[in-house]
Short mmCIF file of all heavy atoms in Angstrom, two decimals:
data_model
loop_
_atom_site.label_atom_id
_atom_site.label_comp_id
_atom_site.label_asym_id
_atom_site.label_seq_id
_atom_site.Cartn_x
_atom_site.Cartn_y
_atom_site.Cartn_z
N LEU A 1 -101.43 77.79 -141.37
CA LEU A 1 -101.83 77.68 -139.97
C LEU A 1 -101.10 78.57 -139.06
O LEU A 1 -101.72 79.22 -138.18
CB LEU A 1 -101.69 76.17 -139.58
CG LEU A 1 -102.30 75.80 -138.24
CD1 LEU A 1 -103.89 75.65 -138.34
CD2 LEU A 1 -101.76 74.43 -137.74
N ALA A 2 -99.81 78.65 -139.24
CA ALA A 2 -98.96 79.47 -138.39
C ALA A 2 -99.29 81.09 -138.60
O ALA A 2 -99.38 81.79 -137.76
CB ALA A 2 -97.49 79.25 -138.60
N LEU A 3 -99.49 81.35 -139.88
CA LEU A 3 -99.84 82.77 -140.29
C LEU A 3 -101.15 83.14 -139.66
O LEU A 3 -101.35 84.21 -139.16
CB LEU A 3 -99.71 82.91 -141.82
CG LEU A 3 -100.06 84.29 -142.27
CD1 LEU A 3 -99.03 85.28 -141.79
CD2 LEU A 3 -100.18 84.31 -143.78
N LEU A 4 -102.13 82.24 -139.80
CA LEU A 4 -103.49 82.62 -139.28
C LEU A 4 -103.49 82.66 -137.78
O LEU A 4 -104.13 83.60 -137.19
CB LEU A 4 -104.44 81.54 -139.75
CG LEU A 4 -104.82 81.66 -141.27
CD1 LEU A 4 -105.51 80.32 -141.70
CD2 LEU A 4 -105.63 82.87 -141.58
N ALA A 5 -102.79 81.90 -137.03
CA ALA A 5 -102.67 81.93 -135.65
C ALA A 5 -102.03 83.27 -135.25
O ALA A 5 -102.39 83.83 -134.24
CB ALA A 5 -101.92 80.70 -135.08
N ALA A 6 -101.02 83.60 -135.89
CA ALA A 6 -100.27 84.77 -135.60
C ALA A 6 -101.21 86.11 -135.85
O ALA A 6 -101.24 87.01 -135.12
CB ALA A 6 -98.94 84.99 -136.41
N SER A 7 -101.97 86.06 -137.00
CA SER A 7 -102.86 87.02 -137.25
C SER A 7 -104.02 87.22 -136.20
O SER A 7 -104.42 88.39 -135.88
CB SER A 7 -103.54 86.81 -138.63
OG SER A 7 -102.59 86.79 -139.66
N ALA A 8 -104.47 85.99 -135.64
CA ALA A 8 -105.50 85.98 -134.70
C ALA A 8 -104.92 86.69 -133.42
O ALA A 8 -105.57 87.50 -132.75
CB ALA A 8 -105.95 84.73 -134.37
N ALA A 9 -103.61 86.43 -133.09
CA ALA A 9 -102.94 87.03 -131.98
C ALA A 9 -102.90 88.48 -132.13
O ALA A 9 -103.07 89.24 -131.06
CB ALA A 9 -101.60 86.41 -131.74
N LEU A 10 -102.64 88.95 -133.31
CA LEU A 10 -102.55 90.42 -133.54
C LEU A 10 -103.85 91.11 -133.37
O LEU A 10 -104.05 92.24 -132.84
CB LEU A 10 -101.90 90.71 -135.00
CG LEU A 10 -100.40 90.40 -135.11
CD1 LEU A 10 -100.04 90.57 -136.63
CD2 LEU A 10 -99.61 91.35 -134.19
N CYS A 11 -104.87 90.46 -133.89
CA CYS A 11 -106.32 91.04 -133.74
C CYS A 11 -106.68 91.05 -132.25
O CYS A 11 -107.29 92.15 -131.82
CB CYS A 11 -107.24 90.13 -134.47
SG CYS A 11 -107.21 90.19 -136.26
N LEU A 12 -106.30 90.05 -131.52
CA LEU A 12 -106.63 90.08 -130.10
C LEU A 12 -105.76 91.06 -129.29
O LEU A 12 -106.18 91.44 -128.21
CB LEU A 12 -106.38 88.63 -129.51
CG LEU A 12 -107.51 87.68 -129.95
CD1 LEU A 12 -107.04 86.24 -129.63
CD2 LEU A 12 -108.86 88.03 -129.26
N ALA A 13 -104.62 91.38 -129.84
CA ALA A 13 -103.75 92.40 -129.08
C ALA A 13 -104.37 93.81 -129.18
O ALA A 13 -104.06 94.64 -128.25
CB ALA A 13 -102.43 92.46 -129.82
N LEU A 14 -105.23 94.10 -130.20
CA LEU A 14 -105.82 95.43 -130.27
C LEU A 14 -106.63 95.82 -129.06
O LEU A 14 -106.48 96.87 -128.43
CB LEU A 14 -106.63 95.57 -131.62
CG LEU A 14 -105.74 95.54 -132.86
CD1 LEU A 14 -106.73 95.64 -134.09
CD2 LEU A 14 -104.88 96.77 -132.86
N PRO A 15 -107.64 94.95 -128.67
CA PRO A 15 -108.43 95.31 -127.49
C PRO A 15 -107.53 95.35 -126.21
O PRO A 15 -107.97 96.08 -125.20
CB PRO A 15 -109.47 94.17 -127.35
CG PRO A 15 -109.60 93.70 -128.72
CD PRO A 15 -108.15 93.76 -129.33
N ALA A 16 -106.43 94.67 -126.20
CA ALA A 16 -105.57 94.72 -125.01
C ALA A 16 -104.83 96.05 -124.90
O ALA A 16 -104.45 96.51 -123.80
CB ALA A 16 -104.51 93.56 -125.11
N LEU A 17 -104.69 96.75 -126.10
CA LEU A 17 -104.03 98.02 -126.20
C LEU A 17 -105.01 99.21 -125.82
O LEU A 17 -104.67 100.15 -125.27
CB LEU A 17 -103.39 98.23 -127.45
CG LEU A 17 -102.24 97.26 -127.75
CD1 LEU A 17 -101.71 97.43 -129.27
CD2 LEU A 17 -101.05 97.49 -126.84
N THR A 18 -106.33 99.00 -126.40
CA THR A 18 -107.26 100.01 -126.16
C THR A 18 -108.71 99.36 -126.15
O THR A 18 -108.89 98.49 -127.00
CB THR A 18 -107.27 101.18 -127.25
OG1 THR A 18 -108.31 101.98 -127.10
CG2 THR A 18 -107.34 100.57 -128.62
N THR A 19 -109.56 99.82 -125.23
CA THR A 19 -110.89 99.15 -125.20
C THR A 19 -111.95 100.05 -125.91
O THR A 19 -113.10 99.84 -125.71
CB THR A 19 -111.26 99.07 -123.74
OG1 THR A 19 -111.17 100.32 -123.05
CG2 THR A 19 -110.44 98.05 -122.95
N ALA A 20 -111.48 100.83 -126.91
CA ALA A 20 -112.43 101.60 -127.66
C ALA A 20 -113.26 100.65 -128.49
O ALA A 20 -112.72 99.74 -129.13
CB ALA A 20 -111.65 102.55 -128.51
N VAL A 21 -114.59 100.90 -128.50
CA VAL A 21 -115.52 99.92 -129.28
C VAL A 21 -115.17 99.84 -130.74
O VAL A 21 -115.17 98.72 -131.28
CB VAL A 21 -116.96 100.28 -128.92
CG1 VAL A 21 -117.83 99.46 -129.76
CG2 VAL A 21 -117.21 100.09 -127.42
N PRO A 22 -114.91 100.97 -131.44
CA PRO A 22 -114.53 100.83 -132.87
C PRO A 22 -113.36 99.92 -133.09
O PRO A 22 -113.35 99.15 -134.12
CB PRO A 22 -114.35 102.30 -133.32
CG PRO A 22 -115.10 103.04 -132.33
CD PRO A 22 -115.06 102.31 -131.07
N VAL A 23 -112.38 100.07 -132.29
CA VAL A 23 -111.18 99.17 -132.40
C VAL A 23 -111.60 97.74 -132.10
O VAL A 23 -111.13 96.82 -132.84
CB VAL A 23 -110.11 99.67 -131.43
CG1 VAL A 23 -108.91 98.65 -131.46
CG2 VAL A 23 -109.58 101.06 -131.78
N ALA A 24 -112.38 97.49 -131.08
CA ALA A 24 -112.80 96.21 -130.79
C ALA A 24 -113.61 95.56 -132.01
O ALA A 24 -113.48 94.40 -132.36
CB ALA A 24 -113.59 96.24 -129.50
N ALA A 25 -114.47 96.40 -132.60
CA ALA A 25 -115.11 95.92 -133.69
C ALA A 25 -114.33 95.41 -134.88
O ALA A 25 -114.47 94.43 -135.52
CB ALA A 25 -116.19 97.01 -134.27
N LEU A 26 -113.25 96.27 -135.23
CA LEU A 26 -112.27 95.90 -136.26
C LEU A 26 -111.59 94.61 -135.85
O LEU A 26 -111.39 93.64 -136.63
CB LEU A 26 -111.32 97.03 -136.41
CG LEU A 26 -110.19 96.83 -137.51
CD1 LEU A 26 -110.78 96.57 -138.85
CD2 LEU A 26 -109.16 97.89 -137.52
N ALA A 27 -111.15 94.52 -134.53
CA ALA A 27 -110.37 93.37 -134.07
C ALA A 27 -111.25 92.01 -134.17
O ALA A 27 -110.79 91.04 -134.59
CB ALA A 27 -109.94 93.57 -132.59
N LEU A 28 -112.53 92.23 -133.75
CA LEU A 28 -113.35 90.97 -133.82
C LEU A 28 -113.73 90.54 -135.27
O LEU A 28 -113.95 89.38 -135.41
CB LEU A 28 -114.57 91.12 -132.88
CG LEU A 28 -114.16 91.03 -131.29
CD1 LEU A 28 -115.34 91.42 -130.49
CD2 LEU A 28 -113.65 89.71 -130.97
N LEU A 29 -113.84 91.46 -136.10
CA LEU A 29 -114.12 91.20 -137.48
C LEU A 29 -112.95 90.46 -138.02
O LEU A 29 -113.11 89.36 -138.58
CB LEU A 29 -114.32 92.47 -138.31
CG LEU A 29 -114.61 92.23 -139.77
CD1 LEU A 29 -115.90 91.59 -139.99
CD2 LEU A 29 -114.51 93.63 -140.49
N GLY A 30 -111.75 90.85 -137.67
CA GLY A 30 -110.56 90.13 -138.18
C GLY A 30 -110.33 88.84 -137.49
O GLY A 30 -109.91 87.86 -138.08
N LEU A 31 -110.77 88.79 -136.21
CA LEU A 31 -110.61 87.54 -135.46
C LEU A 31 -111.48 86.45 -136.08
O LEU A 31 -111.20 85.28 -136.12
CB LEU A 31 -110.97 87.83 -134.01
CG LEU A 31 -110.89 86.56 -133.04
CD1 LEU A 31 -109.48 86.04 -133.00
CD2 LEU A 31 -111.37 86.96 -131.67
N GLY A 32 -112.72 86.88 -136.45
CA GLY A 32 -113.68 85.91 -137.11
C GLY A 32 -112.99 85.32 -138.38
O GLY A 32 -113.22 84.20 -138.62
N VAL A 33 -112.48 86.22 -139.11
CA VAL A 33 -111.81 85.73 -140.35
C VAL A 33 -110.74 84.73 -140.10
O VAL A 33 -110.65 83.58 -140.63
CB VAL A 33 -111.25 86.91 -141.17
CG1 VAL A 33 -110.38 86.43 -142.39
CG2 VAL A 33 -112.31 87.88 -141.62
N CYS A 34 -109.90 85.02 -139.11
CA CYS A 34 -108.77 84.17 -138.76
C CYS A 34 -109.29 82.85 -138.12
O CYS A 34 -108.70 81.80 -138.41
CB CYS A 34 -107.85 84.83 -137.75
SG CYS A 34 -107.04 86.32 -138.44
N ALA A 35 -110.33 82.86 -137.29
CA ALA A 35 -110.77 81.69 -136.49
C ALA A 35 -111.25 80.70 -137.44
O ALA A 35 -110.98 79.57 -137.44
CB ALA A 35 -111.71 82.12 -135.50
N ASP A 36 -112.14 81.11 -138.35
CA ASP A 36 -112.73 80.16 -139.33
C ASP A 36 -111.81 79.66 -140.26
O ASP A 36 -111.83 78.40 -140.63
CB ASP A 36 -114.00 80.83 -139.97
CG ASP A 36 -115.33 80.77 -139.21
OD1 ASP A 36 -115.20 80.65 -138.04
OD2 ASP A 36 -116.38 80.64 -139.88
N THR A 37 -110.94 80.48 -140.81
CA THR A 37 -110.00 79.98 -141.81
C THR A 37 -108.94 79.11 -141.15
O THR A 37 -108.42 78.12 -141.82
CB THR A 37 -109.28 81.12 -142.59
OG1 THR A 37 -108.85 82.08 -141.53
CG2 THR A 37 -110.25 81.85 -143.42
N LEU A 38 -108.60 79.37 -139.86
CA LEU A 38 -107.71 78.49 -139.08
C LEU A 38 -108.36 77.05 -139.05
O LEU A 38 -107.67 76.05 -139.09
CB LEU A 38 -107.41 79.05 -137.83
CG LEU A 38 -106.28 78.38 -136.96
CD1 LEU A 38 -105.48 79.40 -136.07
CD2 LEU A 38 -106.93 77.22 -136.01
N LEU A 39 -109.64 76.99 -138.70
CA LEU A 39 -110.18 75.67 -138.66
C LEU A 39 -110.32 75.01 -140.06
O LEU A 39 -110.03 73.82 -140.10
CB LEU A 39 -111.68 75.85 -138.20
CG LEU A 39 -111.92 75.99 -136.65
CD1 LEU A 39 -113.33 76.28 -136.31
CD2 LEU A 39 -111.32 74.75 -135.82
N ILE A 40 -110.59 75.75 -141.02
CA ILE A 40 -110.54 75.16 -142.38
C ILE A 40 -109.17 74.57 -142.66
O ILE A 40 -108.99 73.44 -143.23
CB ILE A 40 -111.00 76.17 -143.49
CG1 ILE A 40 -112.32 76.60 -143.22
CG2 ILE A 40 -110.76 75.59 -144.82
CD1 ILE A 40 -112.78 77.91 -144.02
N THR A 41 -108.17 75.30 -142.44
CA THR A 41 -106.80 74.87 -142.57
C THR A 41 -106.49 73.63 -141.84
O THR A 41 -105.82 72.71 -142.28
CB THR A 41 -105.80 75.98 -142.28
OG1 THR A 41 -106.12 77.13 -142.98
CG2 THR A 41 -104.29 75.56 -142.57
N SER A 42 -107.00 73.59 -140.60
CA SER A 42 -106.77 72.27 -139.71
C SER A 42 -107.40 71.19 -140.40
O SER A 42 -106.80 70.06 -140.37
CB SER A 42 -107.33 72.64 -138.36
OG SER A 42 -106.73 73.65 -137.67
N PHE A 43 -108.60 71.32 -140.92
CA PHE A 43 -109.31 70.27 -141.51
C PHE A 43 -108.53 69.84 -142.82
O PHE A 43 -108.52 68.58 -143.18
CB PHE A 43 -110.72 70.60 -141.91
CG PHE A 43 -111.60 70.91 -140.62
CD1 PHE A 43 -112.38 71.94 -140.57
CD2 PHE A 43 -111.52 70.09 -139.53
CE1 PHE A 43 -113.16 72.13 -139.42
CE2 PHE A 43 -112.37 70.18 -138.40
CZ PHE A 43 -113.12 71.34 -138.35
#
């Protein structure tokens, strides 16, 4: 749970550093992985 939350924060940090769309695509792909697996872990 802690690792996934930290990984989500790292994914969200990428658009904060640069608003390039390819970077955002990579970040949101990773964010989707982290968000769903974080919910699974919570359950």
Side-chain angles (χ1 to χ4, degrees):
L1 189 73
L3 179 61
L4 289 167
S7 299
L10 289 175
C11 290
L12 289 167
L14 292 177
L17 296 173
T18 174
T19 56
V21 172
V23 174
L26 179 64
L28 286 173
L29 179 67
L31 181 62
V33 173
C34 295
D36 272 32
T37 51
L38 187 147
L39 281 175
I40 294 167
T41 307
S42 300
F43 296 135

